[in-house]
Amino acid sequence: QVQLVESGGGLVQPGGSLGLSCTVSGDTFTIYNMGWYRQAPGKERDVVATIDISGNLVEDDSVKGRFKLSRDNTRRTVFLQMNNVTPGWLVFYFCHALGRYGRQNWGKGTAVTVAH
């Protein structure tokens, strides 16, 4: 059973920082792309940042300069350092991994709440 294990969600003050991590376990398939998506209640799920096996990075414009995505290919892990978070309600962050022939897996999601 392939699992994407997420950790690091929680409560953070406006302007504060929070770190998320995600590790793929249970299989040995090659991961071509891995990253984070986010979804607010009643909204669609949107990409936050992804990175491929060659190190190519894709970021949403809203997080450029504030969030930093890094990877450890050997450990099949990605890290998202979120800095200067903006005020708002809770948002769920989902880890995502893309393998060969379109194989993909999602984490169960971790909640991030920014205090008003």
Side-chain angles (χ1 to χ4, degrees):
Q1 178 69 35
V2 174
Q3 290 185 328
L4 274 61
V5 181
E6 304 151 319
S7 64
L11 177 67
V12 62
Q13 297 294 320
S17 298
L18 195 67
L20 305 179
S21 67
C22 175
T23 298
V24 177
S25 64
D27 207 341
T28 60
F29 71 92
T30 300
I31 301 172
Y32 290 120
N33 196 82
M34 194 170 176
W36 290 91
Y37 293 70
R38 64 185 174 188
Q39 185 173 24
K43 304 292 181 61
E44 66 181 8
R45 187 175 298 181
D46 296 319
V47 65
V48 177
T50 63
I51 189 166
D52 69 15
I53 196 170
S54 299
N56 299 306
L57 179 67
V58 175
E59 296 177 306
D60 184 78
D61 289 340
S62 67
V63 306
K64 289 182 178 179
R66 299 189 299 117
F67 292 7
K68 183 180 180 181
L69 182 70
S70 59
R71 76 187 194 283
D72 185 332
N73 289 333
T74 301
R75 297 174 57 198
R76 298 189 172 194
T77 300
V78 291
F79 308 91
L80 184 67
Q81 180 64 45
M82 303 186 293
N83 298 317
N84 192 25
V85 298
T86 56
W89 203 22
L90 73 93
V91 177
F92 291 93
Y93 282 73
F94 296 88
C95 184
H96 177 263
L98 178 66
R100 192 176 180 86
Y101 304 122
R103 178 177 182 175
Q104 58 184 328
N105 292 94
W106 289 94
K108 65 180 181 180
T110 185
V112 174
T113 302
V114 182
H116 296 288

mmCIF file with all atom_site columns, all heavy atoms in Angstrom, residues 37-50:
data_model
loop_
_atom_site.group_PDB
_atom_site.id
_atom_site.type_symbol
_atom_site.label_atom_id
_atom_site.label_alt_id
_atom_site.label_comp_id
_atom_site.label_asym_id
_atom_site.label_entity_id
_atom_site.label_seq_id
_atom_site.pdbx_PDB_ins_code
_atom_site.Cartn_x
_atom_site.Cartn_y
_atom_site.Cartn_z
_atom_site.occupancy
_atom_site.B_iso_or_equiv
_atom_site.pdbx_formal_charge
_atom_site.auth_seq_id
_atom_site.auth_comp_id
_atom_site.auth_asym_id
_atom_site.auth_atom_id
_atom_site.pdbx_PDB_model_num
ATOM 1   N N   . TYR A 1 37 ? -0.469  20.794 -2.829 1.00 0.00 ? 37 TYR A N   1
ATOM 2   C CA  . TYR A 1 37 ? -1.658  21.495 -3.269 1.00 0.00 ? 37 TYR A CA  1
ATOM 3   C C   . TYR A 1 37 ? -2.424  21.952 -2.038 1.00 0.00 ? 37 TYR A C   1
ATOM 4   O O   . TYR A 1 37 ? -2.238  21.407 -0.947 1.00 0.00 ? 37 TYR A O   1
ATOM 5   C CB  . TYR A 1 37 ? -2.540  20.598 -4.133 1.00 0.00 ? 37 TYR A CB  1
ATOM 6   C CG  . TYR A 1 37 ? -1.940  20.227 -5.469 1.00 0.00 ? 37 TYR A CG  1
ATOM 7   C CD1 . TYR A 1 37 ? -0.851  19.368 -5.549 1.00 0.00 ? 37 TYR A CD1 1
ATOM 8   C CD2 . TYR A 1 37 ? -2.466  20.740 -6.653 1.00 0.00 ? 37 TYR A CD2 1
ATOM 9   C CE1 . TYR A 1 37 ? -0.294  19.032 -6.767 1.00 0.00 ? 37 TYR A CE1 1
ATOM 10  C CE2 . TYR A 1 37 ? -1.917  20.407 -7.877 1.00 0.00 ? 37 TYR A CE2 1
ATOM 11  C CZ  . TYR A 1 37 ? -0.837  19.555 -7.928 1.00 0.00 ? 37 TYR A CZ  1
ATOM 12  O OH  . TYR A 1 37 ? -0.291  19.216 -9.137 1.00 0.00 ? 37 TYR A OH  1
ATOM 13  N N   . ARG A 1 38 ? -3.296  22.946 -2.209 1.00 0.00 ? 38 ARG A N   1
ATOM 14  C CA  . ARG A 1 38 ? -4.081  23.422 -1.087 1.00 0.00 ? 38 ARG A CA  1
ATOM 15  C C   . ARG A 1 38 ? -5.528  23.639 -1.500 1.00 0.00 ? 38 ARG A C   1
ATOM 16  O O   . ARG A 1 38 ? -5.833  23.888 -2.665 1.00 0.00 ? 38 ARG A O   1
ATOM 17  C CB  . ARG A 1 38 ? -3.490  24.709 -0.506 1.00 0.00 ? 38 ARG A CB  1
ATOM 18  C CG  . ARG A 1 38 ? -3.508  25.891 -1.451 1.00 0.00 ? 38 ARG A CG  1
ATOM 19  C CD  . ARG A 1 38 ? -2.782  27.081 -0.830 1.00 0.00 ? 38 ARG A CD  1
ATOM 20  N NE  . ARG A 1 38 ? -2.672  28.184 -1.765 1.00 0.00 ? 38 ARG A NE  1
ATOM 21  C CZ  . ARG A 1 38 ? -1.973  29.282 -1.554 1.00 0.00 ? 38 ARG A CZ  1
ATOM 22  N NH1 . ARG A 1 38 ? -1.308  29.423 -0.406 1.00 0.00 ? 38 ARG A NH1 1
ATOM 23  N NH2 . ARG A 1 38 ? -1.934  30.234 -2.472 1.00 0.00 ? 38 ARG A NH2 1
ATOM 24  N N   . GLN A 1 39 ? -6.414  23.546 -0.514 1.00 0.00 ? 39 GLN A N   1
ATOM 25  C CA  . GLN A 1 39 ? -7.840  23.676 -0.766 1.00 0.00 ? 39 GLN A CA  1
ATOM 26  C C   . GLN A 1 39 ? -8.520  24.271 0.458  1.00 0.00 ? 39 GLN A C   1
ATOM 27  O O   . GLN A 1 39 ? -8.444  23.712 1.548  1.00 0.00 ? 39 GLN A O   1
ATOM 28  C CB  . GLN A 1 39 ? -8.455  22.321 -1.110 1.00 0.00 ? 39 GLN A CB  1
ATOM 29  C CG  . GLN A 1 39 ? -9.919  22.377 -1.497 1.00 0.00 ? 39 GLN A CG  1
ATOM 30  C CD  . GLN A 1 39 ? -10.424 21.036 -1.996 1.00 0.00 ? 39 GLN A CD  1
ATOM 31  O OE1 . GLN A 1 39 ? -9.869  19.992 -1.666 1.00 0.00 ? 39 GLN A OE1 1
ATOM 32  N NE2 . GLN A 1 39 ? -11.464 21.063 -2.810 1.00 0.00 ? 39 GLN A NE2 1
ATOM 33  N N   . ALA A 1 40 ? -9.188  25.397 0.261  1.00 0.00 ? 40 ALA A N   1
ATOM 34  C CA  . ALA A 1 40 ? -10.000 26.005 1.299  1.00 0.00 ? 40 ALA A CA  1
ATOM 35  C C   . ALA A 1 40 ? -11.418 25.455 1.216  1.00 0.00 ? 40 ALA A C   1
ATOM 36  O O   . ALA A 1 40 ? -11.856 25.011 0.152  1.00 0.00 ? 40 ALA A O   1
ATOM 37  C CB  . ALA A 1 40 ? -10.012 27.525 1.149  1.00 0.00 ? 40 ALA A CB  1
ATOM 38  N N   . PRO A 1 41 ? -12.156 25.451 2.319  1.00 0.00 ? 41 PRO A N   1
ATOM 39  C CA  . PRO A 1 41 ? -13.536 24.958 2.293  1.00 0.00 ? 41 PRO A CA  1
ATOM 40  C C   . PRO A 1 41 ? -14.368 25.666 1.229  1.00 0.00 ? 41 PRO A C   1
ATOM 41  O O   . PRO A 1 41 ? -14.387 26.896 1.164  1.00 0.00 ? 41 PRO A O   1
ATOM 42  C CB  . PRO A 1 41 ? -14.046 25.262 3.702  1.00 0.00 ? 41 PRO A CB  1
ATOM 43  C CG  . PRO A 1 41 ? -12.821 25.262 4.550  1.00 0.00 ? 41 PRO A CG  1
ATOM 44  C CD  . PRO A 1 41 ? -11.742 25.833 3.681  1.00 0.00 ? 41 PRO A CD  1
ATOM 45  N N   . GLY A 1 42 ? -15.056 24.887 0.385  1.00 0.00 ? 42 GLY A N   1
ATOM 46  C CA  . GLY A 1 42 ? -15.880 25.437 -0.667 1.00 0.00 ? 42 GLY A CA  1
ATOM 47  C C   . GLY A 1 42 ? -15.131 25.905 -1.893 1.00 0.00 ? 42 GLY A C   1
ATOM 48  O O   . GLY A 1 42 ? -15.765 26.419 -2.828 1.00 0.00 ? 42 GLY A O   1
ATOM 49  N N   . LYS A 1 43 ? -13.818 25.740 -1.933 1.00 0.00 ? 43 LYS A N   1
ATOM 50  C CA  . LYS A 1 43 ? -12.997 26.181 -3.058 1.00 0.00 ? 43 LYS A CA  1
ATOM 51  C C   . LYS A 1 43 ? -12.361 24.987 -3.755 1.00 0.00 ? 43 LYS A C   1
ATOM 52  O O   . LYS A 1 43 ? -12.332 23.875 -3.234 1.00 0.00 ? 43 LYS A O   1
ATOM 53  C CB  . LYS A 1 43 ? -11.914 27.154 -2.585 1.00 0.00 ? 43 LYS A CB  1
ATOM 54  C CG  . LYS A 1 43 ? -12.431 28.367 -1.834 1.00 0.00 ? 43 LYS A CG  1
ATOM 55  C CD  . LYS A 1 43 ? -13.219 29.290 -2.741 1.00 0.00 ? 43 LYS A CD  1
ATOM 56  C CE  . LYS A 1 43 ? -13.716 30.515 -1.978 1.00 0.00 ? 43 LYS A CE  1
ATOM 57  N NZ  . LYS A 1 43 ? -12.589 31.315 -1.425 1.00 0.00 ? 43 LYS A NZ  1
ATOM 58  N N   . GLU A 1 44 ? -11.829 25.226 -4.947 1.00 0.00 ? 44 GLU A N   1
ATOM 59  C CA  . GLU A 1 44 ? -11.157 24.175 -5.689 1.00 0.00 ? 44 GLU A CA  1
ATOM 60  C C   . GLU A 1 44 ? -9.743  23.967 -5.157 1.00 0.00 ? 44 GLU A C   1
ATOM 61  O O   . GLU A 1 44 ? -9.173  24.846 -4.511 1.00 0.00 ? 44 GLU A O   1
ATOM 62  C CB  . GLU A 1 44 ? -11.116 24.515 -7.180 1.00 0.00 ? 44 GLU A CB  1
ATOM 63  C CG  . GLU A 1 44 ? -10.269 25.728 -7.509 1.00 0.00 ? 44 GLU A CG  1
ATOM 64  C CD  . GLU A 1 44 ? -10.261 26.044 -8.992 1.00 0.00 ? 44 GLU A CD  1
ATOM 65  O OE1 . GLU A 1 44 ? -11.025 25.412 -9.736 1.00 0.00 ? 44 GLU A OE1 1
ATOM 66  O OE2 . GLU A 1 44 ? -9.483  26.915 -9.409 1.00 0.00 ? 44 GLU A OE2 1
ATOM 67  N N   . ARG A 1 45 ? -9.197  22.792 -5.458 1.00 0.00 ? 45 ARG A N   1
ATOM 68  C CA  . ARG A 1 45 ? -7.844  22.478 -5.042 1.00 0.00 ? 45 ARG A CA  1
ATOM 69  C C   . ARG A 1 45 ? -6.846  23.038 -6.058 1.00 0.00 ? 45 ARG A C   1
ATOM 70  O O   . ARG A 1 45 ? -6.945  22.772 -7.251 1.00 0.00 ? 45 ARG A O   1
ATOM 71  C CB  . ARG A 1 45 ? -7.671  20.967 -4.912 1.00 0.00 ? 45 ARG A CB  1
ATOM 72  C CG  . ARG A 1 45 ? -6.341  20.542 -4.316 1.00 0.00 ? 45 ARG A CG  1
ATOM 73  C CD  . ARG A 1 45 ? -6.290  19.029 -4.090 1.00 0.00 ? 45 ARG A CD  1
ATOM 74  N NE  . ARG A 1 45 ? -7.307  18.596 -3.144 1.00 0.00 ? 45 ARG A NE  1
ATOM 75  C CZ  . ARG A 1 45 ? -7.464  17.332 -2.753 1.00 0.00 ? 45 ARG A CZ  1
ATOM 76  N NH1 . ARG A 1 45 ? -6.676  16.385 -3.222 1.00 0.00 ? 45 ARG A NH1 1
ATOM 77  N NH2 . ARG A 1 45 ? -8.423  17.026 -1.891 1.00 0.00 ? 45 ARG A NH2 1
ATOM 78  N N   . ASP A 1 46 ? -5.885  23.806 -5.573 1.00 0.00 ? 46 ASP A N   1
ATOM 79  C CA  . ASP A 1 46 ? -4.929  24.484 -6.437 1.00 0.00 ? 46 ASP A CA  1
ATOM 80  C C   . ASP A 1 46 ? -3.501  24.108 -6.051 1.00 0.00 ? 46 ASP A C   1
ATOM 81  O O   . ASP A 1 46 ? -3.211  23.811 -4.899 1.00 0.00 ? 46 ASP A O   1
ATOM 82  C CB  . ASP A 1 46 ? -5.083  26.003 -6.354 1.00 0.00 ? 46 ASP A CB  1
ATOM 83  C CG  . ASP A 1 46 ? -6.419  26.488 -6.853 1.00 0.00 ? 46 ASP A CG  1
ATOM 84  O OD1 . ASP A 1 46 ? -6.895  25.972 -7.879 1.00 0.00 ? 46 ASP A OD1 1
ATOM 85  O OD2 . ASP A 1 46 ? -6.992  27.401 -6.218 1.00 0.00 ? 46 ASP A OD2 1
ATOM 86  N N   . VAL A 1 47 ? -2.610  24.169 -7.038 1.00 0.00 ? 47 VAL A N   1
ATOM 87  C CA  . VAL A 1 47 ? -1.209  23.863 -6.797 1.00 0.00 ? 47 VAL A CA  1
ATOM 88  C C   . VAL A 1 47 ? -0.569  24.963 -5.960 1.00 0.00 ? 47 VAL A C   1
ATOM 89  O O   . VAL A 1 47 ? -0.853  26.150 -6.144 1.00 0.00 ? 47 VAL A O   1
ATOM 90  C CB  . VAL A 1 47 ? -0.451  23.662 -8.128 1.00 0.00 ? 47 VAL A CB  1
ATOM 91  C CG1 . VAL A 1 47 ? -0.422  24.952 -8.935 1.00 0.00 ? 47 VAL A CG1 1
ATOM 92  C CG2 . VAL A 1 47 ? 0.947   23.145 -7.874 1.00 0.00 ? 47 VAL A CG2 1
ATOM 93  N N   . VAL A 1 48 ? 0.267   24.557 -5.030 1.00 0.00 ? 48 VAL A N   1
ATOM 94  C CA  . VAL A 1 48 ? 1.091   25.479 -4.267 1.00 0.00 ? 48 VAL A CA  1
ATOM 95  C C   . VAL A 1 48 ? 2.491   25.518 -4.863 1.00 0.00 ? 48 VAL A C   1
ATOM 96  O O   . VAL A 1 48 ? 2.978   26.565 -5.295 1.00 0.00 ? 48 VAL A O   1
ATOM 97  C CB  . VAL A 1 48 ? 1.160   25.091 -2.784 1.00 0.00 ? 48 VAL A CB  1
ATOM 98  C CG1 . VAL A 1 48 ? 2.092   26.032 -2.023 1.00 0.00 ? 48 VAL A CG1 1
ATOM 99  C CG2 . VAL A 1 48 ? -0.232  25.083 -2.166 1.00 0.00 ? 48 VAL A CG2 1
ATOM 100 N N   . ALA A 1 49 ? 3.156   24.366 -4.885 1.00 0.00 ? 49 ALA A N   1
ATOM 101 C CA  . ALA A 1 49 ? 4.486   24.246 -5.455 1.00 0.00 ? 49 ALA A CA  1
ATOM 102 C C   . ALA A 1 49 ? 4.781   22.785 -5.727 1.00 0.00 ? 49 ALA A C   1
ATOM 103 O O   . ALA A 1 49 ? 4.388   21.914 -4.952 1.00 0.00 ? 49 ALA A O   1
ATOM 104 C CB  . ALA A 1 49 ? 5.550   24.835 -4.525 1.00 0.00 ? 49 ALA A CB  1
ATOM 105 N N   . THR A 1 50 ? 5.458   22.514 -6.841 1.00 0.00 ? 50 THR A N   1
ATOM 106 C CA  . THR A 1 50 ? 5.889   21.165 -7.182 1.00 0.00 ? 50 THR A CA  1
ATOM 107 C C   . THR A 1 50 ? 7.322   21.198 -7.681 1.00 0.00 ? 50 THR A C   1
ATOM 108 O O   . THR A 1 50 ? 7.791   22.220 -8.177 1.00 0.00 ? 50 THR A O   1
ATOM 109 C CB  . THR A 1 50 ? 4.999   20.518 -8.257 1.00 0.00 ? 50 THR A CB  1
ATOM 110 O OG1 . THR A 1 50 ? 5.093   21.264 -9.478 1.00 0.00 ? 50 THR A OG1 1
ATOM 111 C CG2 . THR A 1 50 ? 3.550   20.466 -7.808 1.00 0.00 ? 50 THR A CG2 1
#
